[in-house]
Amino acid sequence: MSHIIAPSILAADFLHLDRDIEMINNSNAEWLHVDVMDGSFVPNISFGQAIVKAIASKCKKTVDVHLMIDRPELYVSEFKEAGADVITVHAEATNHLHRLIYQIKDTGAKAGVALNPHTPVSSIENVLEDLDLVCLMSVNPGYGGQKFIYQTLAKIKELKKMLIDRNGDAQIEIDGGVGLQNAEKILEAGANVLVAGSSVFKSEDPLLTIDRLMALK
Ligand code: DX5
Ligand code: ZN
């Protein structure tokens, strides 16, 4: 199965979102990753529904919304209306993950669950078959440009095995510190969606970086 590159708009130039989204539209990236942070679940605040709506209206790629927010159940339908194709919530942000997954699916969006670096993959064992995507955080969420946590590779392998054992077909997305220096190992471990913020937008030639990430086996 070939992999998907999901550049993260968090690392784009917010004064030129129009230009940067156009660049992604013209690239070989299939998804655009959109990080929503509330200053409570994570220490940083990014942007909310209105900005996601503006981004999605311009973006021709799959809009992959990563909600790093408390009480995500209050906002799921608003982000779907804003244009999200995939909505990912954190397992740590709700007591009722199963209900929340179905709330996302009921909107028509694909449902993803993200796990912080300290959260074991076994914590989602009983909802694995219900998921379209599992996002393993390879940094502590809140900021772009952080260093990849290498223990994530073992988590990817464990998750991949769990999916095979249970006939699950969720995508495995890796988020944080992903770039040309480690993408091969991440893919080899079993991931198939690579979020890439700084490594794409801060590179000299973002289109070429996307192609290089795509070309990895
Ligand atoms: C981190 C966000 C990431 C971030 C990745 O909290 O969830 O999606 O944008 O940025 P890089 O690729 O720069 O680590
Ligand atoms: Zn993210």
Side-chain angles (χ1 to χ4, degrees):
M1 190 166 58
S2 78
H3 55 279
I4 290 168
I5 308 301
S8 174
I9 200 74
L10 191 67
D13 179 348
F14 286 177
L15 272 180
H16 297 99
L17 280 178
D18 201 40
R19 181 196 68 194
D20 285 358
I21 296 166
E22 188 60 20
M23 184 275 288
I24 298 300
N25 283 343
N26 293 322
S27 78
N28 288 316
E30 289 174 56
W31 289 16
L32 181 68
H33 186 82
V34 181
D35 287 312
V36 177
M37 304 176 181
D38 68 351
S40 174
F41 181 73
V42 288
N44 196 14
I45 300 176
S46 59
F47 45 72
Q49 299 89 318
I51 303 290
V52 173
K53 190 172 179 187
I55 292 169
S57 72
K58 169 96 190 175
C59 182
K60 298 197 178 94
K61 309 292 177 142
T62 295
V63 176
D64 173 33
V65 174
H66 178 193
L67 296 180
M68 285 161 274
I69 63 175
D70 283 325
R71 297 195 296 166
E73 58 280 354
L74 298 183
Y75 303 99
V76 159
S77 61
E78 287 183 40
F79 281 102
K80 170 61 186 165
E81 275 162 36
D85 298 303
V86 182
I87 298 179
T88 297
V89 292
H90 269 262
E92 303 87 357
T94 178
N95 288 326
H96 303 287
L97 189 57
H98 181 272
R99 177 187 289 150
L100 183 53
I101 291 165
Y102 279 89
Q103 192 190 339
I104 297 171
K105 288 188 157 184
D106 285 347
T107 69
K110 300 256 189 242
V113 167
L115 300 179
N116 281 336
H118 74 277
T119 306
V121 290
S122 59
S123 64
I124 50 165
E125 204 175 345
N126 296 303
V127 290
L128 209 50
E129 281 115 300
D130 305 304
L131 290 173
D132 300 302
L133 176 141
V134 178
C135 174
L136 297 181
M137 293 307 304
S138 39
V139 297
N140 287 291
Y143 303 94
Q146 302 183 80
K147 197 168 167 285
F148 182 82
I149 297 171
Y150 267 87
Q151 287 93 316
T152 313
L153 294 175
K155 281 177 88 174
I156 300 171
K157 288 180 193 155
E158 194 186 341
L159 176 60
K160 181 79 185 171
K161 186 174 178 309
M162 265 169 65
L163 281 167
I164 291 170
D165 289 349
R166 291 171 171 264
N167 277 326
D169 60 0
Q171 318 243 42
I172 302 180
E173 177 178 71
I174 305 306
D175 188 7
V178 176
L180 283 163
Q181 74 288 359
N182 55 19
E184 207 155 13
K185 280 202 168 69
I186 295 168
L187 294 170
E188 199 181 275
N192 70 310
V193 183
L194 302 180
V195 175
S198 317
S199 65
V200 165
F201 284 102
K202 312 285 188 219
S203 75
E204 261 179 41
D205 188 340
L207 290 173
L208 181 64
T209 304
I210 292 169
D211 284 345
R212 285 193 175 145
L213 288 166
M214 281 297 297
L216 299 170
K217 293 276 181 297

